[in-house]
């Protein structure tokens, strides 16, 4: 059994005290051999196929997929979804979310971000627990509505922030919270990668995705910082630009940012910076990465979420590659979700983690638009 | 490193100061084969100069009388008076960075030298480090496309001399240390429009500072500077992301020789690479000497150094006021 944050004594007190709504639903057939019915709601997200394969291969899970909006994707011809992808993955496709949610107990929502609210509300109304891709929504208002819907229905809502489940992050978290480096004074994080719109065009659509790199790559680090630091973020400054991938028609003809830098002040004086830029070129040896370094009163610590890699020089590939042999973070996330649904406890990261980080991103966009630092509203 | 030749070799060099950076300059001048005299108000000129084959001058007037080039290696707050005296005496000037503690002082130094008809070259030595120079050439050759997001980091132990810790004298970490990376960011991505910075004091004299620059080109730069504890190993890194590529370097990952479990006997030193066969100081001072002797223009000018100072001063204003600063606010 893999470790998950909810099982860890070092998990953030903040997370334990944040109200997550109504009671979780009763345990699902905990003693029985019957597999958990999990529905994958949409193939839109770049992680969807990976989730499908992981869930398909779990003996304790039965998987079905609905991808009703597949035909609306502008790049449907280039990046197949719907029946074609379901067939390729060997998973059963159903026609509608209604049919999916009528059948399953738990759903992984991978729709375009703008549709998260509607899909999650529909799932909650059907009594289905949800693991939702990040960002949780394209607005704080939508995210709040999702949390409310799940609380009212008594179903679990989790946000797909798998990095906090990384075993080495858990160890780092435990040590930092125990005071190993003293109070954290400042931090800098990078979450750089290839632009996701090269795999799914809707990531370049501000309406569907809620933004570009700033929306996509600020939240993982904001979530980790939320766990590591004592105080909430109070002020954020952000700058963005559109130079990376600037020649790509989805960028030159669109309005999303591909580069961004964020500076966050926390209530206790801690300062953190996040580089959310999609700065990994096509020839980069991996999809990208995530790093976080912490400066404390009595020492420093660093974290590289994808440090477990080989360096491969393959003449047939042209450029060097970094094959990853580390923990599959998405597998850990699904494990936590399945376990939470089975036992009826709230899984982590929960919906409020998604809401908190989204509030930071919204404030960061206000800063990027005005050029001035902006207050970060509390979501508690 | 080849020795200077021709007119550049004949230049009589007068170094002012005998502190940390003077050691780097004196060693470089010695390797370049120049005749050097030293004056230092702390009385260490004879002892320090002697290590590098340089003779001591009894006072600044004697040094000015006997030099073609004045190389100012004193604490920042003393630069304006010394440069003014050198210019008044008609001497060519090399001045360590930052040129001065304020925009006005630095701008006036440039004006004095221009009015006196003497050259003024700034010790922005980072442009002469192999990794930074090679990366700049690669960017200019279009290897990463248009610069988009730059990351620049510089960490070392907090400098020993007391005046560094006094912001009224040194300007603090952003003016004294991060000015190297402010200059480099501007060299790569052009003039800066706005600056936002945060300074986080650590225990004792340690401090970490963060700055975000928006360049007029639209490029963004993220800078980190740290003055850390006495055992901190000096290290720098950069990552230059562009529209068509990415260029990275880490000094920690590229050291030919590494040490572990060894106390740094140069604790408090902030100047790396003093004994390398190819010192960036050799390249820097040789380029300045050749320019003074009528050769080609160096890769960095006093105007560049003033522009870097303006970015640093904007960063100081931003950190103090908690707001983004337009660069014009400094120049006003």
């Amino acid at each position: 059994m893999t470790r998950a944050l909810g099982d860890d004594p070092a998990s953030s007190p903040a997370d334990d005290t944040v109200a997550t709504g109504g009671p979780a639903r009763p345990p699902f057939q905990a003693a029985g051999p019957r597999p958990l019915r999990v529905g994958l709601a949409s193939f839109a997200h770049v992680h969807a196929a990976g989730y499908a394969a992981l869930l398909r291969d779990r003996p304790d899970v039965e998987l079905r997929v609905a991808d009703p909006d597949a035909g609306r994707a502008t790049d449907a011809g280039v990046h197949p979804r719907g029946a074609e992808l379901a067939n390729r993955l060997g998973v059963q496709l159903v026609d509608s979310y209604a049919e999916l949610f009528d059948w399953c107990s738990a759903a992984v929502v991978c729709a375009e971000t703008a549709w998260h609210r509607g899909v999650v509300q529909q799932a909650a109304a059907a009594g289905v627990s949800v693991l939702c891709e990040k960002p949780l929504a394209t607005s704080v208002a939508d995210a709040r509505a999702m949390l409310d819907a799940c609380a009212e229905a008594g179903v679990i809502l989790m946000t797909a922030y798998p990095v906090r489940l990384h075993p080495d992050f858990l160890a780092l978290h435990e040590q930092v919270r125990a005071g190993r480096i003293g109070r954290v004074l400042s931090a800098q994080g990078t979450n750089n990668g290839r632009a996701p719109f090269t795999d799914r065009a809707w990531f370049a659509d501000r309406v569907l995705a809620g933004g570009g790199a700033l929306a996509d790559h600020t939240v993982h680090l904001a979530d980790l910082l939320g766990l590591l630091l004592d105080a909430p973020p109070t002020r954020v400054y952000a700058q963005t630009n559109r130079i990376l991938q600037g020649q790509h028609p989805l960028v030159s003809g669109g309005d999303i940012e591909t580069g961004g830098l964020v500076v966050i002040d926390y209530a206790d004086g801690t300062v953190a910076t996040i580089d959310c830029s999609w700065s990994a070129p096509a020839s980069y040896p991996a999809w990208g990465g995530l790093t976080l370094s912490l400066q404390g009163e009595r020492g420093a610590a660093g974290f590289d979420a994808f440090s477990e890699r080989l360096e491969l020089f393959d003449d047939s590939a042209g450029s060097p590659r970094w094959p990853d042999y580390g923990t599959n973070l998405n597998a850990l996330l699904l494990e936590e979700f399945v376990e939470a649904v089975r036992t009826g406890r709230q899984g982590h990261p929960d919906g409020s983690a998604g809401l908190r980080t989204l509030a930071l991103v919204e404030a960061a966009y206000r800063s990027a638009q005005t050029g001035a630092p902006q207050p970060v509203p509390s979501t508690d | 490193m080849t020795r200077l030749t021709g007119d550049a070799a004949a230049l009589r060099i007068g170094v002012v100061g005998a502190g940390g950076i003077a050691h780097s300059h004196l060693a470089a001048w010695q390797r370049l084969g120049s005749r050097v005299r030293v004056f230092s108000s702390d009385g260490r000129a004879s002892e320090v100069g002697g290590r590098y084959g340089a003779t001591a001058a009894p006072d600044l007037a004697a040094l000015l009388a006997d030099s073609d080039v004045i190389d100012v290696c004193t604490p920042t707050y003393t630069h304006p008076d010394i440069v003014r005296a050198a210019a008044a005496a008609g001497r060519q000037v090399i001045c360590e960075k930052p040129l001065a503690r304020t925009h006005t002082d630095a701008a006036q130094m440039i004006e004095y030298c221009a009015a006196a008809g003497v050259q003024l070259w700034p010790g922005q030595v980072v442009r002469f480090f192999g990794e930074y120079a090679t990366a700049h050439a690669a960017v200019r050759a279009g290897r990463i496309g248009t610069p988009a997001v730059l990351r620049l980091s510089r960490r070392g132990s907090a400098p020993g001399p007391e005046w560094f810790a006094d912001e009224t004298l040194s300007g603090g970490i952003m003016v004294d240390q991060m000015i190297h990376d402010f200059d480099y960011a501007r060299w790569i991505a052009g003039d800066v429009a706005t600056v936002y910075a945060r300074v986080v004091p650590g225990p004792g004299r340690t401090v970490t500072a963060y700055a975000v620059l928006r360049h007029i080109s639209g490029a963004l730069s993220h800078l980190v500077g740290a003055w850390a504890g006495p055992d901190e190993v000096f290290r720098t890194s950069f990552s230059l992301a562009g529209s068509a590529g990415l260029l990275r370097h880490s000094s920690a990952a590229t050291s030919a020789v590494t040490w572990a479990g060894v106390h740094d006997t140069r604790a408090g030193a902030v100047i790396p690479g003093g004994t390398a066969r190819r010192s960036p100081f050799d390249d820097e001072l040789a380029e300045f000497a050749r320019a003074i002797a009528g050769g080609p223009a160096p890769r960095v000018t006093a105007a560049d150094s003033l522009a870097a100072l303006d970015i640093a001063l904007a960063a100081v204003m931003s950190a103090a006021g908690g707001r983004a600063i337009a660069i014009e606010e400094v120049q006003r």
Side-chain angles (χ1 to χ4, degrees):
Chain A
M1 183 72 68
T2 45
R3 290 171 78 204
L5 193 74
D7 303 321
D8 194 285
S11 77
S12 165
D15 259 40
D16 296 332
T17 54
V18 168
T20 51
R25 69 191 332 213
F28 169 87
Q29 303 282 330
R34 198 177 122 199
L36 181 71
R37 289 176 169 181
V38 178
L40 177 64
S42 178
F43 276 134
H45 200 277
V46 291
H47 294 156
Y51 289 135
L54 289 164
L55 290 165
R56 176 197 65 200
D57 293 343
R58 287 182 68 123
D60 58 346
V61 163
E62 191 179 343
L63 174 68
R64 291 184 187 174
V65 182
D67 196 16
D69 296 327
R72 290 161 64 177
T74 57
D75 56 344
V78 192
H79 302 296
R81 290 170 50 176
E84 188 177 341
L85 185 52
N87 286 338
R88 190 184 297 175
L89 290 163
V91 297
Q92 187 177 341
L93 188 76
V94 301
D95 289 336
S96 68
Y97 289 138
E99 187 181 342
L100 187 73
F101 297 148
D102 195 41
W103 169 81
C104 67
S105 305
V108 179
V109 174
C110 285
E112 291 85 347
T113 309
W115 312 140
H116 282 182
R117 175 179 176 168
V119 177
V120 170
Q121 284 175 325
Q122 193 179 349
V128 172
S129 285
V130 173
L131 166 62
C132 187
E133 250 307 332
K134 60 87 206 170
L136 196 53
T138 56
S139 74
V140 167
D142 278 2
R144 232 179 247 290
M146 292 159 64
L147 262 71
D148 290 346
C150 291
E152 270 172 39
V155 299
I156 292 165
L157 174 61
M158 283 176 56
T159 309
Y161 290 151
V163 187
R164 68 150 85 176
L165 304 177
H166 192 303
D168 293 315
F169 179 77
L170 296 181
L172 173 76
H173 179 241
E174 188 177 337
Q175 293 279 319
V176 169
R177 298 295 304 188
R180 180 73 180 272
I181 61 170
R183 193 173 80 75
V184 177
L185 300 174
S186 64
Q188 53 169 321
T190 64
N191 188 188
N192 303 135
R194 292 192 196 133
F197 57 71
T198 54
D199 290 317
R200 288 282 191 265
W202 68 268
F203 277 95
D205 184 321
R206 181 169 292 285
V207 174
L208 289 178
L214 189 62
D216 186 42
H217 269 185
T218 304
V219 289
H220 285 298
L221 284 158
D223 182 54
L224 301 184
L225 288 163
L227 294 173
L228 290 165
L229 304 178
D230 290 319
T234 53
R235 186 168 66 167
V236 63
Y237 175 80
Q239 281 285 353
T240 63
N241 66 13
R242 303 155 38 73
I243 301 172
L244 299 159
Q245 296 283 339
Q247 307 303 314
H248 195 290
L250 289 174
V251 177
S252 59
D255 60 356
I256 55 146
E257 74 285 354
T258 53
L261 298 172
V262 182
V263 184
I264 308 164
D265 284 297
Y266 289 82
D268 62 355
T270 304
V271 173
T273 70
I274 295 175
D275 182 344
C276 61
S277 308
W278 288 331
S279 46
S283 54
Y284 197 72
W287 67 269
L290 182 146
T291 69
L292 178 62
S293 55
L294 306 170
Q295 192 65 48
E297 276 176 327
R298 291 198 302 275
F303 172 61
D304 180 346
F306 301 94
S307 63
E308 294 162 296
R309 64 198 180 212
L310 305 176
E311 293 183 335
L312 172 64
F313 302 89
D314 173 352
D315 285 348
S316 71
S319 56
R321 310 300 307 158
W322 286 342
D324 185 327
Y325 63 89
T327 312
N328 185 322
L329 298 178
N330 285 341
L332 290 182
L333 183 68
L334 293 172
E335 172 67 19
E336 167 72 2
F337 181 50
V338 167
E339 204 49 34
V341 174
R342 277 193 188 287
T343 58
R345 67 169 167 80
Q346 173 60 56
H348 290 282
D350 61 11
S352 64
L355 174 63
R356 269 197 302 277
T357 43
L358 193 58
L360 179 81
V361 169
E362 259 192 15
Y365 272 112
R366 284 194 289 274
S367 174
Q369 282 152 15
T370 60
Q374 298 291 321
V376 180
S378 167
T379 56
D380 294 339
Chain B
M1 184 67 216
T2 51
R3 293 160 72 90
L4 290 170
T5 55
D7 291 347
L11 292 170
R12 298 169 300 158
I13 309 299
V15 171
V16 191
I21 198 69
H23 285 262
S24 300
H25 282 225
L26 287 165
W29 287 123
Q30 186 176 36
R31 285 189 292 267
L32 294 171
S34 299
R35 192 234 69 172
V36 182
R37 296 196 78 187
V38 194
F39 164 71
S40 179
S41 62
D42 62 5
R44 288 157 58 199
S46 181
E47 183 255 314
V48 172
R51 295 193 218 170
Y52 305 99
T55 56
D59 52 39
L60 185 59
L63 191 77
L64 291 173
D66 190 29
S67 303
D68 303 306
V69 178
I70 296 300
D71 178 8
V72 183
C73 294
T74 54
T76 306
Y77 60 94
T78 67
H79 290 178
D81 287 347
I82 296 169
V83 169
R84 188 193 294 225
R91 302 297 173 241
Q92 310 294 323
V93 184
I94 296 168
C95 182
E96 255 308 319
K97 47 51 58 182
L99 284 179
R101 176 65 189 79
T102 68
H103 171 88
T104 303
D105 281 350
Q108 286 180 353
M109 286 158 64
I110 292 172
E111 286 167 21
Y112 289 144
C113 290
V118 302
Q119 300 183 24
L120 170 64
W121 302 112
Q124 301 283 165
V125 73
V126 165
R127 293 197 189 201
F128 296 85
F129 275 71
E131 63 271 37
Y132 289 88
T134 304
H136 178 263
V139 171
R140 283 294 173 274
R143 300 298 296 273
I144 65 164
T146 306
V149 183
L150 318 181
R151 299 184 63 80
L152 303 157
S153 170
R154 184 167 302 272
R155 301 181 57 86
S157 51
E162 284 300 320
W163 68 270
F164 281 101
D166 185 338
E167 290 197 10
T168 61
L169 301 181
S170 73
I173 188 169
M174 293 192 290
V175 170
D176 187 77
Q177 189 239 41
M178 291 169 75
I179 194 169
H180 285 301
D181 290 312
F182 290 135
D183 176 57
Y184 192 70
R186 185 177 161 274
W187 201 27
I188 294 291
D191 278 326
V192 166
T194 59
V195 181
Y196 185 77
R198 311 295 292 130
V199 177
V200 187
R205 290 174 59 178
T206 67
V207 60
T208 307
Y210 300 84
V212 169
L213 316 181
R214 186 175 187 93
H215 298 259
I216 290 170
S217 66
L220 305 176
S221 291
H222 177 280
L223 293 89
V224 187
W227 276 343
D231 288 335
E232 184 79 14
V233 176
F234 183 85
R235 60 184 193 272
T236 67
S237 66
F238 59 77
S239 164
L240 315 177
S243 60
L246 173 66
L247 188 53
R248 297 197 299 211
H249 181 266
S250 159
S251 65
T254 53
S255 297
V257 177
T258 56
W259 302 92
V262 177
H263 187 73
D264 184 359
T265 55
R266 296 188 308 122
V270 292
I271 304 142
T275 60
R277 276 176 300 171
R278 182 182 174 83
S279 161
F281 292 99
D282 293 13
D283 290 343
E284 176 192 55
L285 296 176
E287 204 163 296
F288 293 160
R290 290 191 194 104
I292 288 166
R299 69 192 73 179
V300 63
T301 67
D304 291 325
S305 193
L306 174 58
L309 176 64
D310 285 346
I311 300 168
L313 294 171
V316 171
M317 286 172 68
S318 173
R323 63 189 182 91
I325 301 293
I327 206 77
E328 294 79 18
E329 296 184 54
V330 176
Q331 294 161 346
R332 208 172 279 146

